[in-house]
Amino acid sequence: MTGRNGRTVRDLRRANRTAVLQRLYFDGPLSRFELGPATGLSSGSISNVVGELIADGLVEEAGSVDSDGGRPRILLRAAPGSGHMIGVDVGETRVRIELFDLTLTELSRVEKPLEQRRYEVDGIVGHIRDGVAEVLAAASVAPEQLLGVGIGVPGIVEHTPGRGAVVHGQTIGWDAVPLEELLREGSLLPESVPYFIDNGAKALGQAEMWFGGGRGAHNAVVVLFGSGVGACLVTPEVEHGRAVEWGHLTVRVRGRRCRCGALGCLEAYAGAEALLERWREAGGRPPEGADEETALTAMLAAAYPLVGGDTADGGRTADPVALAVLEETAEYLGAGLSDLINLFQPERILIGGWAGLQLGARFLPAVRRHATAYALRHPAQKVSVELGRLGPDAVTVGAAILPLADFFARGGRRPDPAPTGPAPAWRTVLEERAPR
């Protein structure tokens, strides 16, 4: 039966299940009495929906609380073991694969190092396949129990009919790579388990908006500062969040050549790879054979010895070369943030990614100062610039949120066919869980 607004009875039941399941997930444990005002549903609807969710194994009892003069009220919560998700971060130095239960508690993880940042497609596909098998085996979880596998990748992701996710990663040499198709070939996962593949900066943004520094914000930009730089924009007009190729904004005409091939990109000055190269060119000495994370640690210790260095000798002086390059990088990042402030006028800007977190609070005051100086005064006065709160695993958490958001949108029901598009309405989930 279809109503005047085009919604069927099945649609309404799914929406009611979604409302109850989300409230228990984000705000639980809650009693049936509390679920009514929290969801806007009648007591009869709450009783029916809760009964269904308990029968499906998605909701369980979690103790009781005293009521005013009556019987104790039973508390309910989302059942952690009722679903599992895998999050994958195809990063700059490694591929990280993590298995989570429904409440995003980590059950197992593996990391596959990338030798000399080699992004051969077959190698990445093999790492993901092997990693998925290993985390499932380590936690004794059957593939059929998965709600999906979320994957954060560098580059632009296009969802095409029949082929699924295709990745355009110019900076890593990927030209229209049909990643979803390749993962399906020889996969141990059944066809009913979907892949959700999206940009890594967007995955980071989703994690921070759900559980980190973005909670409660309606307009935010989450910046991924690693070997390169990228961003995710979240506004009411962009309900799913949108990856922004911020690193390829031109900041200097006829400037340094970026790894994308163009001249003068922000990433050619502010990404960790470029930062370390500029230190080397200026006479700095990164540790021989060290990976980027180790080399950046050494640079930070050289520039700020009282923070990152060995002070046992009674007082090392700062390396002026390392300090000058870092200060210049802070100005480039601040100028880049000013463009985001002027264009989108966000409430918050959060800086995450391994390099952003490693430089941390020592780097942030200068970035804020330059962002304010370069931006228009009115929007600059309204934005806060902070570090992300979820640490180096934020991309894998955000990737796992992709299948979780899809699960919520379906009212806690698993899809029959494997979808070929992105997870729907994760921004809508954020709005649904807002305090009432």
Side-chain angles (χ1 to χ4, degrees):
M1 180 177 176
T2 303
R4 291 183 178 180
N5 60 1
R7 300 184 75 188
T8 66
V9 172
R10 183 177 180 182
D11 292 333
L12 292 173
R13 289 180 62 187
R14 181 174 60 242
N16 291 348
R17 285 171 60 99
T18 295
V20 171
L21 190 58
Q22 287 178 186
R23 282 295 156 189
L24 290 176
Y25 186 86
F26 291 111
D27 303 327
L30 297 170
S31 68
R32 290 172 175 81
F33 179 79
E34 293 169 310
L35 278 169
T39 60
L41 299 177
S42 68
S43 59
S45 294
I46 291 293
S47 179
N48 291 335
V49 171
V50 167
E52 285 183 12
L53 294 174
I54 291 176
D56 291 345
L58 300 177
V59 168
E60 63 186 16
E61 294 184 356
S64 62
V65 291
D66 292 334
S67 62
D68 296 334
R71 294 183 301 173
R73 291 176 179 152
I74 302 299
L75 295 176
L76 304 167
R77 68 178 180 185
S82 59
H84 299 82
M85 301 82 64
I86 288 177
V88 179
D89 175 12
V90 179
E92 289 126 353
T93 60
R94 65 180 65 85
V95 177
R96 180 183 288 124
I97 303 101
E98 297 183 44
L99 174 69
F100 301 90
D101 68 14
L102 192 72
T103 59
L104 284 173
T105 298
E106 181 188 309
L107 303 180
S108 58
R109 75 157 62 191
V110 296
E111 293 188 353
K112 305 287 186 179
L114 298 179
E115 296 181 5
Q116 299 178 341
R117 297 181 59 232
R118 297 170 67 109
Y119 282 99
E120 284 91 347
V121 174
D122 290 346
I124 297 294
V125 169
H127 284 331
I128 296 173
R129 280 185 190 155
D130 293 345
V132 166
E134 290 171 29
V135 295
L136 289 173
S140 299
V141 172
E144 294 77 13
Q145 293 178 264
L146 287 177
L147 302 178
V149 179
I151 304 172
V153 297
I156 298 169
V157 180
E158 179 184 17
H159 296 276
T160 61
R163 302 190 74 191
V166 175
V167 182
H168 304 269
Q170 190 166 325
T171 59
I172 62 173
W174 284 20
D175 183 14
V177 172
L179 184 58
E180 188 170 345
E181 271 189 359
L182 295 173
L183 288 170
R184 284 286 177 198
E185 295 173 3
S187 172
L188 64 84
L189 300 181
E191 287 291 325
S192 59
V193 175
Y195 287 96
F196 299 94
I197 302 171
D198 221 318
N199 177 270
K202 182 175 175 181
L204 172 66
Q206 290 169 349
E208 289 289 349
M209 293 301 293
W210 275 42
F211 301 111
R215 294 188 67 175
H218 292 285
N219 299 274
V221 175
V222 183
V223 170
L224 177 59
F225 178 20
S227 181
V229 292
C232 174
L233 168 69
V234 182
T235 72
E237 294 78 24
V238 187
E239 66 172 4
H240 301 290
R242 184 177 71 206
V244 180
E245 290 294 336
W246 175 59
H248 302 290
L249 182 79
T250 301
V251 294
R252 196 166 192 171
V253 176
R254 293 187 294 275
R256 292 175 62 89
R257 188 167 296 280
C258 179
R259 57 183 182 170
C260 76
L263 297 176
C265 294
L266 175 63
E267 189 168 292
Y269 294 90
E273 179 182 339
L275 191 160
L276 293 168
E277 182 60 31
R278 288 167 48 232
W279 183 33
R280 189 178 295 108
E281 291 171 358
R285 296 181 179 179
E288 289 293 331
D291 61 27
E292 283 184 1
E293 294 183 37
T294 303
L296 189 59
T297 300
M299 185 181 187
L300 183 62
Y304 308 112
L306 295 179
V307 176
D310 180 6
T311 60
D313 59 4
R316 283 172 40 208
T317 58
D319 176 351
V321 174
L323 185 59
V325 173
L326 282 169
E327 288 179 343
E328 185 182 41
T329 301
E331 184 167 5
Y332 275 114
L333 273 175
L337 293 182
S338 75
D339 290 320
L340 296 175
I341 293 169
N342 290 341
L343 286 169
F344 305 117
Q345 302 180 28
E347 300 169 43
R348 299 177 201 172
I349 295 177
L350 301 171
I351 300 176
W354 65 266
L357 296 175
Q358 193 167 327
L359 291 171
R362 183 67 174 175
F363 199 57
L364 197 57
V367 173
R368 283 197 194 108
R369 186 173 64 253
H370 290 302
T372 300
Y374 282 104
L376 292 170
R377 184 167 57 253
H378 182 69
Q381 289 173 342
K382 295 179 174 292
V383 67
S384 64
V385 181
E386 307 291 342
L387 292 177
R389 298 180 186 174
L390 298 181
D393 292 344
V395 173
T396 47
V397 173
I401 286 173
L402 290 167
L404 181 59
D406 179 72
F407 182 66
F408 284 156
R410 295 175 182 275
R413 300 193 187 280
R414 297 169 184 263
D416 293 327
T420 57
W426 68 269
R427 174 70 197 206
T428 301
V429 174
L430 290 175
E431 294 167 350
E432 286 294 327
R433 66 160 231 211
R436 294 177 185 263

